[in-house]
Amino acid sequence: RHGCGIFFLDEFNLADQSLQAVSRQLIDSFKISLCDYEMPRGFSIVGAGNRTEDGVPVFEVDKAMERRWAWYDVPKPTRDGWTAWAVSRGVLPDVIAYLNWKWEHAFDPGYPNVGQITSTPYANLPAWVYVSEMIQAQGQDISSDMMGELAVMCVGSVGYSFQMFTA
């Protein structure tokens, strides 16, 4: 209950209005009465989310909540910028090479609809990093078929193209 830090609300605008209302209470008073929680002094609240124009399924943030935040747009990564980051983090060279060849597969516009619960994977950069991690966890003897299947599990149908790329 002491010290300082950041209370991070990731993917904030994926929360429906009832959860956003609880967050508003936390932002306004640093307390949540529902569970008798009080944020320690020295903490700041930071939220992150996607924009509706990115085609991501998000809930609209109401005007009262909108006024309680400072908003910053983080630009979409560029191919060169992401490649440099990926190389420095040990992302699998096959994944880096594939996305340099098919950058449009880094972001899949086929997101599910707002409020739709789905287990269908879709391509995004964190999912491609997960593809890399899954393949690396299998060891060096992994077949291109298995690499492709892991990719499909993580990024959806664009994983088939990755499978052909690595064959």
Side-chain angles (χ1 to χ4, degrees), residues 77-88 91-107 125 128 161-162 165-166:
T78 63
R79 182 188 330 229
D80 291 341
W82 184 82
T83 298
W85 176 89
V87 167
S88 74
V91 172
L92 191 70
D94 285 336
V95 170
I96 295 170
Y98 176 74
L99 289 178
N100 271 281
W101 177 59
K102 286 277 196 185
W103 183 244
E104 66 273 16
H105 286 182
F107 309 99
L125 290 174
W128 280 109
S161 179
F162 175 75
F165 179 81
T166 59

Side-chain angles (χ1 to χ4, degrees), residues 28 32 35 45 50 56 60-61 64 74 93 98 112 114 117 121 129 142 154:
D28 287 345
I32 300 175
C35 62
I45 301 171
N50 294 298
V56 180
E60 200 68 35
V61 176
V74 177
Y98 176 74
V114 173
I117 298 174
V129 171
I142 186 171
C154 298

Side-chain angles (χ1 to χ4, degrees), residues 20-120:
Q20 287 186 26
V22 172
S23 299
R24 186 177 321 114
Q25 190 180 70
L26 183 64
I27 292 165
D28 287 345
S29 66
F30 291 91
K31 296 178 185 177
I32 300 175
S33 60
L34 188 66
C35 62
D36 198 32
Y37 174 78
E38 185 171 344
M39 186 179 299
R41 287 186 161 306
F43 272 70
S44 297
I45 301 171
V46 175
N50 294 298
R51 302 173 307 178
T52 53
E53 58 264 28
D54 293 331
V56 180
V58 296
F59 289 98
E60 200 68 35
V61 176
D62 67 41
K63 293 295 180 192
M65 186 58 113
E66 195 174 278
R67 288 189 296 270
R68 287 169 168 82
W69 294 99
W71 297 88
Y72 300 95
D73 278 336
V74 177
K76 209 176 223 183
T78 63
R79 182 188 330 229
D80 291 341
W82 184 82
T83 298
W85 176 89
V87 167
S88 74
R89 299 302 192 284
V91 172
L92 191 70
D94 285 336
V95 170
I96 295 170
Y98 176 74
L99 289 178
N100 271 281
W101 177 59
K102 286 277 196 185
W103 183 244
E104 66 273 16
H105 286 182
F107 309 99
D108 182 0
Y111 292 107
N113 293 323
V114 173
Q116 177 183 350
I117 298 174
T118 180
S119 60
T120 305

